[in-house]
Amino acid sequence: MSDKHQAASPSAAASQMWGGRFAGGPAAIMQRINASIDFDRRLYAQDIRGSKAHCRMLVRQNIILPEDGETILAGLDAVLAEIDAGNFPFRTELEDIHMNVEARLAEIVGEAAGRLHTARSRNDQVATDFRLWVRDAMDGMDAALQGLQAALIERALQHAATVMPGFTHLQAAQPVTFGHHLLAYVEMVGRDRGRLADARRRLNESPLGSAALAGTSFPIDRHSTATELGFERPMANSLDGVSDRDFALEFMAACAIAAVHLSRLAEELVIWTSAQFRFVTLSDAFTTGSSIMPQKRNPDAAELIRAKTGRVIGDLTALLVVMKGLPLAYSKDMQDDKEPTFEAADTMELAIAAMTGMVWDLTVNESVMKAAAGAGFTTATDIADWCVRALKMPFRRAHHVAGSLVKLAEDKGCGLEDLTLDEMRTVEPGLTAEALAVLTVDSSVDSRTSFGGTAPARVREAALAARARFL
């Protein structure tokens, strides 16, 4: 193939694309607001893939000649090679990736290029390209989230018995293990992946062949193009095929929820790395220093993940607002569907990678965690449970006894485990030496053997089960 066909002038090119209805080119400001090539060029691989499937179908259905089909396919390969090599002449006056590819195809192969758009509109073309791109983004995000789960699971196995305080209201509540804590995020990420999988199933229908909005009079085979492009089936309604972007909204909703989960873990890393907690340490790879305070090690990667969550939520909101008042079928408003979707995908790719790196990187300060696990009377529930088991107390009475013991320890300025048995018996005479044994943080976590509990044996079991389920 050669470039013997010269490029048309901007106004002439626009006129050729629009046909005989328009005699002149658009105003400069119209070109600026109308053009999307600066961002939708990212769809080039999907656009060419969809065009190839459409071309092959047109040949199979005897809508275009086989020799024209071969010429078009070879030309599309040439266009793809140019873009991959960074040699493609993107032109703003051609508005978008679809018209840029078509115009370049015409320059390379001549008149045969004009047959490619038979039985197709830019409306179903862009809907198909965008679905293909979002589907690829979903698959990439799922793989990245799986990598995060792998890091969390392996660290959980390493720290299945590492005791730390569990919190409610950010107040020390009961001792748990660090492995148990990390596995909570494994489950959250698992649900994030499940949302992506659910959205992918609903996305996986092909709009191609819907044409502008009403279908086409040509004898096309939509099922064959759907199969070639990896879709389960063609979309059942041509109006719906070109006019909805709920697949992008679902993707961004899944992104937003996953970003919230990342932000929660990021917040904990910010807290845990502080001098007041010192539960974990991050290396130089994921921290920065201060321009004035030489002692500082700032958890900037975690803080930026926390901030970027707002960006992803904003992207979802932006597209919801774009779509909320649109009548059927296509409106130009929908050109603004891609930038927020691209940004959400890019932001999540970066945030997941950074979080995965931090999980692998962190050093756990086990002695500090364990000391903190016993502060704040975190084994009070254990003494209440002992009273229920050993003394057959109703739990509400046992709760009162435990609360009174906490008050006694507070008044004495000591921990529950520091009270003598005689002192404890001033609150409840039935207490025995056996009750003292339940007040250590190790005995507390060891006792939580219910399914999903924090006992180290259960944590190891859960981590191995999660590895089998998710990896």
Side-chain angles (χ1 to χ4, degrees), residues 264-313:
R264 295 182 72 182
L265 180 51
E267 170 69 3
E268 293 198 305
L269 290 174
V270 171
I271 293 170
W272 292 343
T273 56
S274 69
Q276 289 71 28
F277 274 73
R278 295 186 298 114
F279 285 2
V280 302
T281 303
L282 290 169
S283 77
D284 294 351
F286 291 96
T287 58
T288 65
S290 165
S291 64
I292 190 172
M293 296 169 284
Q295 83 282 7
K296 294 292 294 297
R297 184 191 290 274
N298 299 321
D300 282 4
E303 292 173 0
L304 288 166
I305 289 172
R306 194 173 58 185
K308 289 181 184 299
T309 298
R311 186 183 292 264
V312 177
I313 294 169

Side-chain angles (χ1 to χ4, degrees), residues 149-160 162 178-179 182 358-364:
Q149 285 182 303
L152 290 165
I153 289 168
E154 293 311 307
R155 299 312 305 267
L157 281 168
Q158 293 169 15
H159 293 283
T162 300
F178 187 53
L182 294 179
M358 284 189 290
V359 170
W360 284 120
D361 180 75
L362 61 84
T363 299
V364 179

